Amino acid sequence: MTPVSALWGTGSFQEFREPEPNGNLMQKIVTGTIAGAAGIALLLGGAGSFALWNDTASVPPATVDSGTLTLSANPDGVWTDITNGRSDVIDISAVRMVPGNLYQFHQTMDVEATGDDLTADLTWAPQSITGDDELVAAAEQSLTVASESASLQPAGRTAWTVTPTEGTSVLDVTYTIGLSSEVTTGKAQSIDLSGLTFTLTQKPIES
């Protein structure tokens, strides 16, 4: 009769254990489930810090530059008495013009124009020269504008067309005023030249 507590094999002895009750088995299963749930929670790290895959990429580096359109008067304006062939530099504010006198003002202006599709109009208004009516009517006045730059082209008596160019284009402005020897009006009056203004305006881009 074989004992319940032992089994004989090939020279070795093994203790025989009876199966544990079902309650212990359930406890191990529950413990394993709780540990597994805790591991999942650790992997997630909390809902607030969970991140999906992402990546970034940059476009090739580039810049866009704007052009220029500027007009500036140089501080080289000078008045000259050109009466009967003179060429004397004068202070125009100290002059008292009489019939037969002729005076001339010369000044340069710089124009800078760069940019694709850029064209502009350079204009001035002779009527902006004002003063006492009799003297304005009696005075002989002329305004001429000249330039050696190919980017400045005449477009009428009081306008020029400006096109882009590298560097600065120079505009020569010459204003002449005088009274003929036959004038008998305009005594003790004045003419105001401060309102003479040149305007540089871009033209709309054509389609």
Side-chain angles (χ1 to χ4, degrees):
M1 181 176 182
T2 304
V4 175
S5 60
L7 291 175
W8 294 94
T10 57
S12 63
F13 172 82
Q14 293 179 344
E15 183 180 0
F16 177 82
R17 294 179 180 274
E18 295 183 0
E20 294 180 359
N22 292 339
N24 293 336
L25 179 60
M26 288 299 296
Q27 182 180 2
K28 290 183 178 182
I29 294 174
V30 171
T31 302
T33 302
I34 293 174
I40 294 174
L42 289 173
L43 288 175
L44 291 177
S49 61
F50 181 68
L52 298 175
W53 282 353
N54 62 81
D55 200 357
T56 60
S58 300
V59 299
T63 58
V64 178
D65 298 324
S66 60
T68 59
L69 184 63
T70 61
L71 175 66
S72 57
N74 293 313
D76 58 358
V78 60
W79 278 96
T80 305
D81 180 359
I82 58 174
T83 303
N84 297 330
R86 300 173 185 166
S87 57
D88 302 328
V89 175
I90 59 172
D91 177 5
I92 195 65
S93 63
V95 164
R96 297 296 179 263
M97 185 169 57
V98 298
N101 278 141
L102 190 62
Y103 306 107
Q104 190 173 79
F105 176 74
H106 179 262
Q107 186 174 26
T108 61
M109 305 181 74
D110 290 341
V111 178
E112 293 186 4
T114 60
D116 299 339
D117 295 316
L118 176 66
T119 57
D121 287 328
L122 177 63
T123 59
W124 66 95
Q127 64 269 23
S128 61
I129 300 174
T130 60
D132 294 315
D133 293 341
E134 282 188 353
L135 185 57
V136 170
E140 297 177 353
Q141 304 178 65
S142 66
L143 180 66
T144 60
V145 179
S147 178
E148 296 180 356
S149 173
S151 66
L152 300 176
Q153 295 297 323
R157 189 175 70 89
T158 61
W160 285 64
T161 297
V162 180
T163 54
T165 185
E166 293 296 330
T168 301
S169 300
V170 179
L171 201 67
D172 290 294
V173 179
T174 302
Y175 171 75
T176 305
I177 184 171
L179 289 173
S180 72
S181 56
E182 289 81 20
V183 171
T184 58
T185 59
K187 298 175 183 179
Q189 296 184 1
S190 63
I191 292 178
D192 183 6
L193 306 177
S194 62
L196 180 59
T197 303
F198 287 74
T199 304
L200 185 62
T201 307
Q202 180 186 353
K203 299 172 68 174
I205 298 176
E206 297 180 356
S207 58

